[in-house]
Amino acid sequence: MGEAVRAAARRFPGVPTLEGAGVRLQRSFSNPEVPLFDPFLLLDRFGSTNPEDYLAGFPWHPHRGIETVTYVLHGRVEHGDTLGNRGTIGDGDIQWMNSGSGIVHQEMPKRAEGLFSGFQLWVNLPAREKMSPPAYRGLTAREVPATPTDEGGEVRVVAGSYRTIEGPVRGISVDPTYLDVRLRPGETFETPTPLGHTVFAHVVEGGFTFGNLAEPPAVTGETVLFGDGSLFRAKAGAGGTRFLLVFGRPLHEPVAWYGPIVMNQKDEIATALRELRTGQFIKEKRPLVEG
Ligand code: MN
């Protein structure tokens, strides 16, 4: 049986955005793109050698109805939340935080030598899980398995799998795959993708061609959303490349989005805002820490 190689559906160069208490970042996609990336809601890229671009950070703020996935490439982020988690995530570490019914947290980048860089991805929760207890997963770099590709590249597997290597983040309804792929110059990379799942790639550095290899290459900072197919294929450009490859099962549910709170219906947003005013937003303060 022939493989249907995924071709680009839409391409997003990234938009300079000011977020949090004044963090300069590149926004790849967000609420204007709903429902194109379903079940993914947002991808932000941080990257600066100037601490003034990031030190203001993301002071205490609420989330409800989503998962936030923070991946630090270089630098450190101090975090704390209403579940009682406190700590620092550094180079190569992942924080996969399920806000469920409600969490209040802060995410504060610390002054870095040279570059501070990383990503935050928002993954939507299905309606039936939006008011479930929140959960926090912190993964250090060495808990994320890395496996070589055929031609000298490397794949880090955060969630889902590549070949026989399974990532440590499991048991999530939208069945996400999150790979960090590094390819040598000219190397070809292929991995199967479930039909009907949403697939996108974000170029961390370098560039690559993809699909039938006839379209203009994806370049640093670009996000490519792919059409349906059973196979993802990329071929690194002359300088090699590094990219995030993310896919998951769409929810096909209505989205009501207000800042850091993403529900299904407007009245659920109104409820969340009322609960924030009256101190009833947090339902769960016990730590629910998962490996
Ligand atoms: Mn947050």
Side-chain angles (χ1 to χ4, degrees), residues 61 63 105 107:
H61 60 277
H63 287 289
H105 74 168
E107 306 156 289

Side-chain angles (χ1 to χ4, degrees), residues 58-63 66 68 70 95 97 103-107 120 122 260:
F58 304 88
W60 295 100
H61 60 277
H63 287 289
I66 63 171
T68 65
T70 307
Q95 182 195 82
M97 195 277 293
I103 197 168
V104 175
H105 74 168
Q106 64 170 348
E107 306 156 289
Q120 187 166 88
W122 289 11

Side-chain angles (χ1 to χ4, degrees), residues 111-161:
R111 188 175 292 275
E113 293 295 328
L115 184 66
F116 169 78
S117 68
F119 292 92
Q120 187 166 88
L121 173 70
W122 289 11
V123 185
N124 206 358
L125 287 170
R128 67 177 181 280
E129 292 178 20
K130 282 186 179 288
M131 292 305 286
S132 61
Y136 175 91
R137 291 179 180 87
L139 298 162
T140 62
R142 55 181 197 161
E143 292 176 294
V144 178
T147 185
T149 62
D150 289 337
E151 297 168 44
E154 184 184 81
V155 180
R156 298 186 80 218
V157 185
V158 175
S161 60

Side-chain angles (χ1 to χ4, degrees), residues 31-78:
N31 49 339
E33 281 71 45
V34 170
L36 278 182
F37 286 83
D38 181 15
F40 305 104
L41 294 165
L42 170 148
L43 181 68
D44 281 345
R45 173 183 181 137
F46 314 93
S48 177
T49 54
N50 179 4
E52 288 178 17
D53 287 344
Y54 58 80
L55 279 181
F58 304 88
W60 295 100
H61 60 277
H63 287 289
R64 175 177 283 180
I66 63 171
E67 298 186 280
T68 65
V69 181
T70 307
Y71 186 18
V72 175
L73 300 186
H74 304 282
R76 287 181 302 131
V77 178
E78 277 184 12

